[in-house]
Amino acid sequence: MTGLGAISPLGNDVETTWNNALQGKSGAGPITHFDASKFKTQFACEVKDFDPNAHFDRKKLRQLDLYAQYAIVAARQAVADSGLDSDESLNKNRVGVIVAAGIGGLHTFEEEAGYYALNEANGPKYNPFFIPKMIADIASGHISMEYGYHGPNFGTVSACASSNNAIIDAFNLIRLGKADVILSGGAEAAIFPAGVGGFNSMHALSTRNDSPETASRPFSASRDGFVMGEGAAVLVLEELEHALARGAKIYAEVAGGGLSADAYHLTATHPEGLGAILAMTNALEDAGMKPDDIDYINVHGTSTPVGDISEVKAIKEVFGEHAYKLNISSTKSMTGHLLGATGALEAMFSVKSVQNDVVPPTINHAPDDLDENIDYNLNFTFDRAQNRPVRAALSNSFGFGGHNATVIVKKFEK
């Protein structure tokens, strides 16, 4: 990892996002993207103070859904951070872009569908940018065109596991020798009527409208669903010798990745965490690491009644007694759930944790708010960040459809 970029509910760059996470700040508040007063859920973790006109000209904005805007800005940060933009010897034929989205241009789809419904009597009339604004791969395309990167270019879609899939794909393509550098991550912007209404209809979202800031409360007995977030994170993955040759700073090393399927239910995780167990086990095997080598797990931890329990079961099964020596935290308690972008943002948190030997907290837990199905002898890093050596961090992402993806990052040692 040689470059990082982020647009998140906690800040519009990496350092602001990271520092606010360490302070345990919540990114939740009343929805401003639309009038949500008639919705069951009226709050979310929105990106704040993002002005598209400060980043794109009027002509370009006509081509970009909000999710793609977030992706491009995060990619620009990551490229600048990595120094790739100033490397005149860079072989752009060997630089790729893999940026995920679980949904893609939902707002664009919603706007166009509504327009057609209003004008049906006069025949269909669509914006010529409708399809290329909406599709979930288009952020990768825009980023490659902006920089002239001709390497592998696509988007991954596996619901809320999408951007962990993107990171693992980038990792494997570099290992296979197909690229020297790949910008990888995810973006999402679904805090609009269709997104909120759709998840409301599934009873997936918290409805704690009286206290948005405390609504995302992973591992607490009173949790009642996830809080929707939005934003993007992009990470630069680079082959080691290539990075050393150009004198790049190295944040951390990608050690391995694991994939699996629950093959169980459309939306629910397996109650015993079987898919999560397999993904984490596969990641450890891929990395050539033992459970004892991991110091921190950034859990999927969405604050849903079933999901949190199954992930805890999986961690205890994979890590055994070492599970009680780990730090575990859910940064979704602060950022909300960024859907297809969540894995990338949480990979960024994992990298920063390894770099700085500190674990961000799980907020919004009250000492008496205990679920009898959760083992509180585990260290969930409640309330405050904790300083500790972090040799390696494991990050889980699970998605509708039973998709599971686990990424492991570790300290870089020459």
Side-chain angles (χ1 to χ4, degrees), residues 255 280 283-284 287 289-298 318-319 322-323 325-328 388-395 406-410:
M280 288 188 280
L284 288 166
M289 299 173 76
K290 299 175 294 185
D292 293 2
D293 295 325
I294 304 296
D295 293 317
Y296 168 45
I297 300 178
N298 188 300
V318 172
F319 289 90
H322 184 64
K325 300 176 184 178
L326 294 162
N327 273 74
I328 297 166
R388 64 159 295 164
V390 184
R391 299 164 299 164
L394 179 150
S395 180
T406 297
V407 170
I408 298 175
V409 296
K410 66 180 183 180

Side-chain angles (χ1 to χ4, degrees), residues 156-370:
T156 55
V157 179
S158 52
C160 302
S162 295
S163 49
N164 262 9
N165 270 117
I167 292 168
I168 292 169
D169 279 1
F171 176 53
N172 285 330
L173 284 168
I174 291 172
R175 285 200 292 188
L176 288 169
K178 305 301 182 183
D180 297 325
V181 183
I182 298 182
L183 278 62
S184 185
E188 207 79 271
I191 306 174
F192 292 101
V196 175
F199 281 114
N200 266 160
S201 70
M202 298 170 58
H203 306 287
L205 297 180
S206 170
T207 56
R208 205 175 297 276
N209 294 312
D210 59 337
S211 184
E213 295 82 3
T214 68
S216 183
R217 48 182 71 184
F219 312 113
S220 296
S222 61
R223 64 193 185 279
D224 69 330
F226 74 83
V227 177
M228 193 182 296
E230 64 173 356
V234 174
L235 305 94
V236 177
L237 278 69
E238 187 166 355
E239 192 275 328
L240 175 60
E241 297 304 326
H242 188 275
L244 293 175
R246 69 182 188 87
K249 65 177 179 294
I250 298 175
Y251 285 102
E253 180 181 349
V254 184
L259 302 170
S260 74
D262 278 2
Y264 169 72
H265 188 273
L266 190 65
T267 58
T269 57
H270 191 284
E272 300 302 318
L274 297 187
I277 290 168
L278 185 57
M280 288 188 280
T281 301
N282 287 343
L284 288 166
E285 182 179 339
D286 187 43
M289 299 173 76
K290 299 175 294 185
D292 293 2
D293 295 325
I294 304 296
D295 293 317
Y296 168 45
I297 300 178
N298 188 300
V299 292
H300 189 56
T302 56
S303 188
T304 56
V306 175
D308 289 7
I309 293 171
S310 65
E311 189 169 9
V312 169
K313 288 180 179 179
I315 289 169
K316 292 177 68 176
E317 177 66 26
V318 172
F319 289 90
E321 286 303 311
H322 184 64
Y324 298 94
K325 300 176 184 178
L326 294 162
N327 273 74
I328 297 166
S329 76
S330 172
T331 46
K332 288 185 181 73
S333 61
M334 298 173 282
T335 66
H337 190 353
L338 275 68
L339 309 178
T342 200
L345 185 63
E346 289 161 13
M348 185 274 285
F349 284 135
S350 299
V351 167
K352 296 294 285 182
S353 183
V354 165
Q355 179 195 18
N356 296 287
D357 289 319
V358 59
V359 174
T362 304
I363 66 169
N364 298 328
H365 179 74
D368 59 349
D369 192 9
L370 303 181

Side-chain angles (χ1 to χ4, degrees), residues 42-71:
Q42 299 167 9
F43 62 94
C45 288
E46 294 180 334
V47 169
K48 287 88 173 166
D49 303 318
F50 180 81
D51 179 9
N53 295 293
H55 301 283
F56 306 100
D57 62 35
R58 188 174 178 180
K59 181 179 179 181
K60 187 69 173 179
L61 279 175
R62 292 183 62 214
Q63 305 174 21
L64 299 174
D65 184 87
L66 184 59
Y67 100 93
Q69 296 172 33
Y70 290 156

Side-chain angles (χ1 to χ4, degrees), residues 365-377:
H365 179 74
D368 59 349
D369 192 9
L370 303 181
D371 184 334
E372 63 181 9
N373 298 298
I374 291 178
D375 184 352
Y376 291 102
N377 291 312

